[in-house]
mmCIF file of all heavy atoms in Angstrom:
data_model
loop_
_atom_site.group_PDB
_atom_site.id
_atom_site.type_symbol
_atom_site.label_atom_id
_atom_site.label_comp_id
_atom_site.label_asym_id
_atom_site.label_seq_id
_atom_site.Cartn_x
_atom_site.Cartn_y
_atom_site.Cartn_z
ATOM 1 N N HIS A 1 -1.343 13.722 19.015
ATOM 2 C CA HIS A 1 -2.070 12.563 18.426
ATOM 3 C C HIS A 1 -1.512 11.251 18.941
ATOM 4 O O HIS A 1 -0.394 11.129 19.409
ATOM 5 C CB HIS A 1 -1.919 12.599 16.888
ATOM 6 C CG HIS A 1 -2.266 13.949 16.291
ATOM 7 N ND1 HIS A 1 -3.451 14.606 16.583
ATOM 8 C CD2 HIS A 1 -1.564 14.783 15.481
ATOM 9 C CE1 HIS A 1 -3.488 15.745 15.955
ATOM 10 N NE2 HIS A 1 -2.364 15.906 15.306
ATOM 11 N N VAL A 2 -2.327 10.213 18.808
ATOM 12 C CA VAL A 2 -1.865 8.860 19.165
ATOM 13 C C VAL A 2 -1.000 8.344 17.993
ATOM 14 O O VAL A 2 -1.367 8.369 16.826
ATOM 15 C CB VAL A 2 -3.112 7.877 19.346
ATOM 16 C CG1 VAL A 2 -2.598 6.456 19.573
ATOM 17 C CG2 VAL A 2 -3.949 8.370 20.505
ATOM 18 N N ARG A 3 0.193 7.871 18.304
ATOM 19 C CA ARG A 3 1.102 7.371 17.331
ATOM 20 C C ARG A 3 0.772 5.937 16.938
ATOM 21 O O ARG A 3 0.892 5.044 17.758
ATOM 22 C CB ARG A 3 2.555 7.480 17.810
ATOM 23 C CG ARG A 3 3.665 7.039 16.914
ATOM 24 C CD ARG A 3 3.707 7.747 15.549
ATOM 25 N NE ARG A 3 3.709 9.225 15.650
ATOM 26 C CZ ARG A 3 4.795 9.992 15.771
ATOM 27 N NH1 ARG A 3 6.007 9.422 15.841
ATOM 28 N NH2 ARG A 3 4.689 11.292 15.805
ATOM 29 N N GLY A 4 0.373 5.735 15.697
ATOM 30 C CA GLY A 4 0.027 4.409 15.244
ATOM 31 C C GLY A 4 1.249 3.582 14.939
ATOM 32 O O GLY A 4 2.391 4.074 14.820
ATOM 33 N N SER A 5 1.041 2.261 14.744
ATOM 34 C CA SER A 5 2.090 1.320 14.481
ATOM 35 C C SER A 5 1.850 0.672 13.175
ATOM 36 O O SER A 5 0.761 0.299 12.778
ATOM 37 C CB SER A 5 2.178 0.292 15.602
ATOM 38 O OG SER A 5 3.161 -0.733 15.315
ATOM 39 N N LEU A 6 2.904 0.461 12.407
ATOM 40 C CA LEU A 6 2.812 -0.161 11.067
ATOM 41 C C LEU A 6 3.623 -1.407 11.041
ATOM 42 O O LEU A 6 4.842 -1.433 11.142
ATOM 43 C CB LEU A 6 3.271 0.823 10.037
ATOM 44 C CG LEU A 6 3.074 0.376 8.559
ATOM 45 C CD1 LEU A 6 1.651 0.406 8.192
ATOM 46 C CD2 LEU A 6 3.838 1.352 7.596
ATOM 47 N N ASP A 7 2.935 -2.570 10.858
ATOM 48 C CA ASP A 7 3.651 -3.848 10.705
ATOM 49 C C ASP A 7 4.228 -3.923 9.305
ATOM 50 O O ASP A 7 5.390 -4.190 9.127
ATOM 51 C CB ASP A 7 2.697 -4.992 10.967
ATOM 52 C CG ASP A 7 3.356 -6.344 10.739
ATOM 53 O OD1 ASP A 7 4.553 -6.471 11.160
ATOM 54 O OD2 ASP A 7 2.753 -7.244 10.151
ATOM 55 N N ARG A 8 3.413 -3.603 8.300
ATOM 56 C CA ARG A 8 3.925 -3.500 6.933
ATOM 57 C C ARG A 8 2.883 -2.749 6.058
ATOM 58 O O ARG A 8 1.707 -2.743 6.350
ATOM 59 C CB ARG A 8 4.177 -4.870 6.331
ATOM 60 C CG ARG A 8 2.941 -5.709 6.011
ATOM 61 C CD ARG A 8 3.191 -6.992 5.306
ATOM 62 N NE ARG A 8 1.973 -7.718 5.030
ATOM 63 C CZ ARG A 8 1.310 -8.454 5.911
ATOM 64 N NH1 ARG A 8 1.785 -8.633 7.113
ATOM 65 N NH2 ARG A 8 0.144 -9.026 5.527
ATOM 66 N N SER A 9 3.383 -2.110 5.037
ATOM 67 C CA SER A 9 2.558 -1.530 4.023
ATOM 68 C C SER A 9 3.331 -1.441 2.726
ATOM 69 O O SER A 9 4.468 -0.906 2.721
ATOM 70 C CB SER A 9 2.091 -0.099 4.456
ATOM 71 O OG SER A 9 1.255 0.479 3.449
ATOM 72 N N ILE A 10 2.791 -2.076 1.709
ATOM 73 C CA ILE A 10 3.451 -2.087 0.352
ATOM 74 C C ILE A 10 2.479 -1.663 -0.700
ATOM 75 O O ILE A 10 1.335 -2.217 -0.716
ATOM 76 C CB ILE A 10 4.018 -3.562 0.101
ATOM 77 C CG1 ILE A 10 4.896 -4.022 1.264
ATOM 78 C CG2 ILE A 10 4.731 -3.547 -1.189
ATOM 79 C CD1 ILE A 10 5.226 -5.518 1.102
ATOM 80 N N THR A 11 2.927 -0.810 -1.592
ATOM 81 C CA THR A 11 2.121 -0.434 -2.703
ATOM 82 C C THR A 11 2.960 -0.559 -3.941
ATOM 83 O O THR A 11 4.038 -0.036 -4.072
ATOM 84 C CB THR A 11 1.617 1.042 -2.586
ATOM 85 O OG1 THR A 11 0.822 1.193 -1.443
ATOM 86 C CG2 THR A 11 0.808 1.425 -3.837
ATOM 87 N N ALA A 12 2.438 -1.395 -4.907
ATOM 88 C CA ALA A 12 3.108 -1.563 -6.166
ATOM 89 C C ALA A 12 2.299 -0.934 -7.271
ATOM 90 O O ALA A 12 1.098 -1.146 -7.431
ATOM 91 C CB ALA A 12 3.323 -3.046 -6.464
ATOM 92 N N LEU A 13 2.960 -0.092 -8.113
ATOM 93 C CA LEU A 13 2.380 0.457 -9.297
ATOM 94 C C LEU A 13 3.034 -0.201 -10.499
ATOM 95 O O LEU A 13 4.231 -0.081 -10.714
ATOM 96 C CB LEU A 13 2.589 1.980 -9.334
ATOM 97 C CG LEU A 13 2.125 2.773 -8.053
ATOM 98 C CD1 LEU A 13 2.542 4.179 -8.185
ATOM 99 C CD2 LEU A 13 0.616 2.637 -7.907
ATOM 100 N N ILE A 14 2.230 -0.884 -11.286
ATOM 101 C CA ILE A 14 2.776 -1.717 -12.452
ATOM 102 C C ILE A 14 2.123 -1.170 -13.750
ATOM 103 O O ILE A 14 0.857 -1.191 -13.871
ATOM 104 C CB ILE A 14 2.481 -3.148 -12.199
ATOM 105 C CG1 ILE A 14 3.013 -3.599 -10.853
ATOM 106 C CG2 ILE A 14 3.081 -3.981 -13.318
ATOM 107 C CD1 ILE A 14 2.516 -5.002 -10.394
ATOM 108 N N SER A 15 2.985 -0.864 -14.699
ATOM 109 C CA SER A 15 2.431 -0.427 -15.990
ATOM 110 C C SER A 15 1.607 -1.495 -16.630
ATOM 111 O O SER A 15 1.968 -2.662 -16.637
ATOM 112 C CB SER A 15 3.636 -0.021 -16.887
ATOM 113 O OG SER A 15 3.140 0.502 -18.117
ATOM 114 N N ALA A 16 0.430 -1.085 -17.177
ATOM 115 C CA ALA A 16 -0.437 -2.047 -17.849
ATOM 116 C C ALA A 16 -1.068 -1.412 -19.162
ATOM 117 O O ALA A 16 -0.885 -0.228 -19.362
ATOM 118 C CB ALA A 16 -1.593 -2.427 -16.879
ATOM 119 N N ASP A 17 -1.678 -2.291 -19.913
ATOM 120 C CA ASP A 17 -2.335 -1.828 -21.110
ATOM 121 C C ASP A 17 -1.449 -1.027 -22.047
ATOM 122 O O ASP A 17 -1.779 0.101 -22.470
ATOM 123 C CB ASP A 17 -3.607 -1.003 -20.778
ATOM 124 C CG ASP A 17 -4.503 -0.773 -21.996
ATOM 125 O OD1 ASP A 17 -4.402 -1.493 -22.978
ATOM 126 O OD2 ASP A 17 -5.367 0.178 -21.907
ATOM 127 N N ASP A 18 -0.220 -1.602 -22.281
ATOM 128 C CA ASP A 18 0.773 -0.952 -23.168
ATOM 129 C C ASP A 18 1.073 0.477 -22.736
ATOM 130 O O ASP A 18 1.292 1.391 -23.552
ATOM 131 C CB ASP A 18 0.246 -0.918 -24.583
ATOM 132 C CG ASP A 18 1.400 -0.644 -25.611
ATOM 133 O OD1 ASP A 18 2.542 -1.012 -25.300
ATOM 134 O OD2 ASP A 18 1.102 -0.121 -26.684
ATOM 135 N N GLY A 19 1.136 0.684 -21.401
ATOM 136 C CA GLY A 19 1.528 1.964 -20.867
ATOM 137 C C GLY A 19 0.404 2.954 -20.636
ATOM 138 O O GLY A 19 0.655 4.026 -20.071
ATOM 139 N N HIS A 20 -0.796 2.597 -20.981
ATOM 140 C CA HIS A 20 -1.967 3.524 -20.826
ATOM 141 C C HIS A 20 -2.648 3.449 -19.454
ATOM 142 O O HIS A 20 -3.430 4.299 -19.094
ATOM 143 C CB HIS A 20 -2.997 3.255 -21.948
ATOM 144 C CG HIS A 20 -2.462 3.471 -23.333
ATOM 145 N ND1 HIS A 20 -2.023 4.671 -23.796
ATOM 146 C CD2 HIS A 20 -2.163 2.591 -24.314
ATOM 147 C CE1 HIS A 20 -1.656 4.590 -25.041
ATOM 148 N NE2 HIS A 20 -1.664 3.308 -25.355
ATOM 149 N N ALA A 21 -2.338 2.359 -18.684
ATOM 150 C CA ALA A 21 -2.956 2.200 -17.415
ATOM 151 C C ALA A 21 -1.951 1.699 -16.369
ATOM 152 O O ALA A 21 -0.777 1.385 -16.754
ATOM 153 C CB ALA A 21 -4.137 1.187 -17.542
ATOM 154 N N THR A 22 -2.381 1.652 -15.138
ATOM 155 C CA THR A 22 -1.466 1.206 -14.073
ATOM 156 C C THR A 22 -2.201 0.226 -13.168
ATOM 157 O O THR A 22 -3.331 0.607 -12.646
ATOM 158 C CB THR A 22 -0.961 2.364 -13.251
ATOM 159 O OG1 THR A 22 -0.231 3.309 -14.086
ATOM 160 C CG2 THR A 22 -0.039 1.876 -12.117
ATOM 161 N N GLU A 23 -1.662 -0.921 -12.943
ATOM 162 C CA GLU A 23 -2.207 -1.841 -11.999
ATOM 163 C C GLU A 23 -1.716 -1.489 -10.600
ATOM 164 O O GLU A 23 -0.536 -1.233 -10.449
ATOM 165 C CB GLU A 23 -1.827 -3.316 -12.336
ATOM 166 C CG GLU A 23 -2.475 -4.323 -11.367
ATOM 167 C CD GLU A 23 -2.006 -5.753 -11.666
ATOM 168 O OE1 GLU A 23 -0.988 -5.921 -12.380
ATOM 169 O OE2 GLU A 23 -2.711 -6.631 -11.199
ATOM 170 N N VAL A 24 -2.592 -1.462 -9.600
ATOM 171 C CA VAL A 24 -2.216 -1.143 -8.284
ATOM 172 C C VAL A 24 -2.412 -2.370 -7.375
ATOM 173 O O VAL A 24 -3.485 -2.927 -7.364
ATOM 174 C CB VAL A 24 -3.061 0.042 -7.702
ATOM 175 C CG1 VAL A 24 -2.621 0.377 -6.324
ATOM 176 C CG2 VAL A 24 -2.967 1.269 -8.633
ATOM 177 N N LEU A 25 -1.370 -2.733 -6.668
ATOM 178 C CA LEU A 25 -1.364 -3.814 -5.706
ATOM 179 C C LEU A 25 -1.033 -3.268 -4.325
ATOM 180 O O LEU A 25 -0.017 -2.575 -4.195
ATOM 181 C CB LEU A 25 -0.422 -4.988 -6.075
ATOM 182 C CG LEU A 25 -0.491 -5.537 -7.494
ATOM 183 C CD1 LEU A 25 0.656 -6.551 -7.709
ATOM 184 C CD2 LEU A 25 -1.834 -6.149 -7.813
ATOM 185 N N MET A 26 -1.844 -3.562 -3.326
ATOM 186 C CA MET A 26 -1.605 -3.057 -1.993
ATOM 187 C C MET A 26 -1.694 -4.108 -0.957
ATOM 188 O O MET A 26 -2.540 -4.999 -1.044
ATOM 189 C CB MET A 26 -2.602 -1.930 -1.659
ATOM 190 C CG MET A 26 -2.608 -0.741 -2.590
ATOM 191 S SD MET A 26 -3.856 0.487 -2.129
ATOM 192 C CE MET A 26 -3.182 1.001 -0.531
ATOM 193 N N ASP A 27 -0.841 -4.012 0.065
ATOM 194 C CA ASP A 27 -0.844 -4.958 1.175
ATOM 195 C C ASP A 27 -0.538 -4.155 2.455
ATOM 196 O O ASP A 27 0.492 -3.479 2.518
ATOM 197 C CB ASP A 27 0.172 -6.041 0.964
ATOM 198 C CG ASP A 27 0.213 -7.078 2.133
ATOM 199 O OD1 ASP A 27 -0.586 -6.977 3.083
ATOM 200 O OD2 ASP A 27 1.096 -7.990 2.076
ATOM 201 N N VAL A 28 -1.491 -4.158 3.419
ATOM 202 C CA VAL A 28 -1.241 -3.345 4.649
ATOM 203 C C VAL A 28 -1.707 -4.102 5.898
ATOM 204 O O VAL A 28 -2.726 -4.794 5.859
ATOM 205 C CB VAL A 28 -1.941 -1.998 4.495
ATOM 206 C CG1 VAL A 28 -3.456 -2.164 4.381
ATOM 207 C CG2 VAL A 28 -1.619 -1.066 5.676
ATOM 208 N N HIS A 29 -0.928 -3.972 6.899
ATOM 209 C CA HIS A 29 -1.237 -4.452 8.266
ATOM 210 C C HIS A 29 -0.821 -3.402 9.246
ATOM 211 O O HIS A 29 0.420 -3.212 9.477
ATOM 212 C CB HIS A 29 -0.607 -5.723 8.571
ATOM 213 C CG HIS A 29 -1.052 -6.366 9.879
ATOM 214 N ND1 HIS A 29 -0.168 -6.825 10.847
ATOM 215 C CD2 HIS A 29 -2.280 -6.506 10.370
ATOM 216 C CE1 HIS A 29 -0.812 -7.276 11.881
ATOM 217 N NE2 HIS A 29 -2.158 -7.144 11.616
ATOM 218 N N ALA A 30 -1.758 -2.654 9.784
ATOM 219 C CA ALA A 30 -1.442 -1.495 10.638
ATOM 220 C C ALA A 30 -2.260 -1.503 11.927
ATOM 221 O O ALA A 30 -3.358 -2.100 11.979
ATOM 222 C CB ALA A 30 -1.718 -0.202 9.888
ATOM 223 N N ASP A 31 -1.750 -0.913 12.980
ATOM 224 C CA ASP A 31 -2.410 -0.850 14.248
ATOM 225 C C ASP A 31 -2.536 0.625 14.690
ATOM 226 O O ASP A 31 -1.474 1.252 14.893
ATOM 227 C CB ASP A 31 -1.611 -1.664 15.294
ATOM 228 C CG ASP A 31 -2.324 -1.706 16.624
ATOM 229 O OD1 ASP A 31 -3.304 -1.000 16.855
ATOM 230 O OD2 ASP A 31 -1.892 -2.456 17.518
ATOM 231 N N PRO A 32 -3.690 1.176 14.746
ATOM 232 C CA PRO A 32 -3.825 2.594 15.103
ATOM 233 C C PRO A 32 -3.563 2.835 16.590
ATOM 234 O O PRO A 32 -3.539 4.010 16.989
ATOM 235 C CB PRO A 32 -5.279 2.918 14.757
ATOM 236 C CG PRO A 32 -5.981 1.588 14.872
ATOM 237 C CD PRO A 32 -5.022 0.566 14.396
ATOM 238 N N LYS A 33 -3.369 1.787 17.350
ATOM 239 C CA LYS A 33 -3.128 1.868 18.825
ATOM 240 C C LYS A 33 -4.270 2.581 19.491
ATOM 241 O O LYS A 33 -5.338 2.748 18.948
ATOM 242 C CB LYS A 33 -1.791 2.569 19.035
ATOM 243 C CG LYS A 33 -0.562 1.857 18.504
ATOM 244 C CD LYS A 33 -0.415 0.495 19.196
ATOM 245 C CE LYS A 33 0.872 -0.164 18.805
ATOM 246 N NZ LYS A 33 1.009 -1.483 19.512
#
């Protein structure tokens, strides 16, 4: 396979709604080459 390159990728899982839900924040910059 072609080896891709990752500049950055961040995923945050944050408890929400008094623990009943989870907020998801994502930031990605990738190069599949």
